[in-house]
Amino acid sequence: MLKPEAMQKNLTFLLHIHPKKVPRASIRYTYTFGLGGLTVLLILLQIFTGILLKFVYLPSPAKAYDSILFLQNHILFGQYVRNIHHLDGELLIVLALLHMLRVFFTEAFHPPIRSGNWILGICMFLLIMFSNFTGYLMPWDQLSYWAVTVVTNMFSYIPLIGPHITVFIRGGADVTGNTLMNFFNFHTAIIPLTLLILMIFHFWKVRKAGGVAPPRTRQEEEKGLVPVMPDLIVKEVAVGLIALAVVFILAIFLDAPLRERANPAFSPNPVKAPWYFIGIQEMLMHFHPFVGAIVIPLFLLGFLFYLPWLHYPQNNAGFWFSSLKGRQAAIISGIIAFILTPLLIVADEYLIHFNRWFPSLPSILSEGLFPVLLYGFLFYLYLLYLRKKYRPNVNETVQAVFAFFLITYTVLSLTGLFFRGPGMILMWPWQI
Amino acid sequence: MSKKISHSKINPPPEKEEHAPKITTDTSRRSFFRKIWGWVALAAGIELAGLSIPFIGSGRKKQTKEKSGNFTAIAQVWDIPEGSVLPYRSGRLYICHLKDGGFLAVSIKCTHLGCSVEWDEKKKEFLCPCHHSMFSLNGEVINPPATRALNIYPLKIEEGVIKVNLENPIQRKHYNKSQETYA
Ligand code: FES
């Protein structure tokens, strides 16, 4: 058994990722939950299983589905490796999202030190999403074919260039072998490479910022620095190994789905987007596609990118929700969103029919602008209430509003997942 | 508890501006070479872009089939009762026999996001399973989120045989009578 000092010598190079000493408070497990590190681990596992799968998989419409069948039925551990890869991909979205939420809710995005990493983080998160989505097409079954058809079609609602973008992504007018080739190349080369480069950049910037933003509330109890080796490293390794074991065990029981072979002439009923896009799909039920698939997502993305440069009166990095008041405001906002969103969904389904009330108006107004105005008005009322009740500063408002949108998107996703049956009709989960 | 701790103490000091060591012995020859390298780098960049863009572009064009003006015989006029449809799956379309006797070749692709619509014989409408758009027999939108009528294909009728040009779908905003073909 190597002594810690000897190990440290061997690991010196790898340890460049951490400083020599870190604040005791910031390595508390319940502060970062090890989320960033776990994301890295899962990405490495994803590369490993992905390379294994590439030994069997054939990216052409005629052969893709059969190669998956072959993988599952004739390759030793074939199904298992596919399960791990599938599960790992979905877990990656969850972990990366949680990691970003931790960063956001502890305000670790302030310029000049941490803003760059916030931007990098968003980019890497988008890459993980795209990686999942491009991988979704690989089995070439009904699920993947129609989900990709629907999602790539969303781009065609961008004015002027939209249809060209769709044709470009698909490599033709429809989802065909060209699409599969494009997606395969993105999935197995372009996205992983870009992601790895951004990751290295990200670590370097974390290191330069002096590690994670240390939590403030614990400062008094846990003063001082501790050596990274062994205090932090041992924790990291332990968490990583447990996570790995959990993934491996879960993958035994959770089979990656495989439906019937893709059939361009029949959509299954219902067609649902993968769960990480299902919130957008739910928005499409209520808004003109240009608004639901383009304007709103781009607007929110712009808001996220611009976030670090709003005029904050304070830099409260390390405080959960910026302050105690911020926490209360965020919780109330979450509750409001949790109640308001389902009400609006039901109202839109049964009561609000702008298109029938104004049949002569173009649908971009009746299905696009009017619902947005209605929602904007309600959102404004919510902001007024927040103002009156808490008098929050910019820091706290941003925390609260973000919580509001987070819960809204969650509710939209849950609705799409569990409350939409055949024909996308609203119903209770047990009726489906 | 909520008393704010002064923040500047805990945050690491702002990053130092890092400057590459200034080269003071810059001669005109050196700067000349530096410029040359700059141009060479630019040329290399253009080369790579010039290689890859046509590479990707030309492959795409070859793989999309050339369009011909061929019409395919699909059905006979009396196969389809008035007010009903005949699905033609391999061409991804329906032949619709409208109430006034006219025929339309209506695309299966929902104009919302491209799922395939199904004909509901009882309700006499097309229903999209993806986001619940509904279309009438002539392809007109009855229920959003779809925003325009289903595409149609050029259709002609020769001696009672319905023929459709499968390669040239026609986009349309709305249905109108002039789109129909009569036997
Ligand atoms: S694709 Fe038909 S309603 Fe959305």
Side-chain angles (χ1 to χ4, degrees), chain A residues 6-224:
Chain A
M7 257 163 90
Q8 178 150 24
K9 226 176 203 173
N10 292 333
L11 288 173
T12 312
F13 175 70
L14 281 177
L15 280 175
H16 275 69
I17 204 169
H18 292 306
K20 267 214 163 107
K21 292 194 162 145
V22 287
R24 184 190 294 276
S26 68
I27 68 167
R28 278 185 68 90
Y29 188 66
T30 47
Y31 179 62
T32 65
F33 302 97
L35 290 165
L38 285 181
T39 311
V40 179
L41 179 76
L42 290 197
I43 286 176
L44 295 180
L45 178 62
Q46 208 55 338
I47 293 175
F48 178 75
T49 48
I51 289 175
L52 282 183
L53 291 173
K54 264 186 106 170
F55 281 112
V56 182
Y57 177 73
L58 294 164
S60 84
K63 294 178 183 161
Y65 188 77
D66 290 321
S67 70
I68 301 281
L69 287 181
F70 183 77
L71 172 87
Q72 297 190 162
N73 299 333
H74 299 284
I75 302 278
L76 207 55
F77 295 127
Q79 172 88 59
Y80 187 49
V81 171
R82 179 163 180 251
N83 290 357
I84 296 175
H85 196 72
H86 181 85
L87 178 69
D88 192 4
E90 304 202 315
L91 282 179
L92 259 176
I93 294 186
V94 177
L95 282 179
L97 177 67
L98 290 177
H99 176 50
M100 293 190 68
L101 290 181
R102 197 278 297 164
V103 167
F104 175 82
F105 285 126
T106 56
E107 267 196 20
F109 53 71
H110 285 296
I113 305 174
R114 297 186 188 275
S115 50
N117 257 345
W118 174 252
I119 301 295
L120 270 179
I122 297 173
C123 295
M124 287 187 293
F125 184 69
L126 291 178
L127 281 176
I128 290 177
M129 292 268 255
F130 283 132
S131 186
N132 263 278
F133 179 63
T134 47
Y136 207 78
L137 185 63
M138 299 299 113
W140 203 254
D141 61 350
Q142 280 289 72
L143 209 59
S144 46
Y145 182 88
W146 289 103
V148 169
T149 299
V150 166
V151 175
T152 46
N153 233 331
M154 288 182 192
F155 293 97
S156 58
Y157 284 94
I158 302 172
L160 298 177
I161 49 169
H164 300 283
I165 294 181
T166 300
V167 168
F168 182 77
I169 297 173
R170 291 177 174 175
D174 292 304
V175 174
T176 58
N178 287 356
T179 322
L180 186 55
M181 243 177 0
N182 285 354
F183 275 44
F184 182 68
N185 198 4
F186 269 91
H187 186 71
T188 59
I190 300 172
I191 296 175
L193 272 179
T194 320
L195 193 58
L196 280 179
I197 293 169
L198 292 191
M199 272 163 71
I200 293 169
F201 197 20
H202 179 61
F203 302 152
W204 176 70
K205 271 178 141 345
V206 173
R207 180 81 173 74
K208 241 181 109 183
V212 297
R216 299 289 180 74
T217 42
R218 304 270 179 194
Q219 288 283 316
E220 310 306 319
E221 307 144 42
E222 296 166 294
K223 273 236 163 68

Side-chain angles (χ1 to χ4, degrees), chain A residues 150, chain B residues 110-115 117 128-133 135 145-146:
Chain A
V150 166
Chain B
C110 177
T111 52
H112 179 229
L113 290 172
C115 289
V117 295
C128 180
C130 287
H131 314 98
H132 210 244
S133 286
F135 304 87

Side-chain angles (χ1 to χ4, degrees), chain A residues 351-404:
Chain A
L351 301 175
I352 308 172
H353 301 289
F354 287 119
N355 65 310
R356 271 178 237 165
W357 298 341
F358 307 98
S360 56
L361 286 180
S363 60
I364 181 76
L365 290 183
S366 62
E367 293 289 299
L369 188 65
F370 292 178
V372 167
L373 286 180
L374 177 67
Y375 189 79
F377 175 67
L378 292 174
F379 183 72
Y380 179 70
L381 289 184
Y382 150 74
L383 280 184
L384 279 186
Y385 168 77
L386 207 64
R387 267 260 178 87
K388 233 184 132 200
K389 177 118 196 241
Y390 295 102
R391 309 217 146 273
N393 61 19
V394 177
N395 296 58
E396 291 149 353
T397 311
V398 166
Q399 296 286 322
V401 168
F402 188 92
F404 183 88

Side-chain angles (χ1 to χ4, degrees), chain A residues 260-318:
Chain A
E260 311 84 62
R261 191 184 302 268
N263 179 353
F266 273 107
S267 315
N269 189 359
V271 172
K272 290 192 180 180
W275 58 266
Y276 39 90
F277 282 148
I278 218 165
I280 297 181
Q281 168 173 314
E282 182 59 32
M283 268 196 309
L284 285 171
M285 307 289 301
H286 307 287
F287 294 103
H288 185 280
F290 174 61
V291 176
I294 311 283
V295 176
I296 295 177
L298 276 187
F299 180 78
L300 292 179
L301 203 61
F303 170 69
L304 286 182
F305 271 113
Y306 188 65
L307 204 67
W309 291 277
L310 293 169
H311 290 290
Y312 296 100
Q314 287 157 343
N315 174 350
N316 286 348

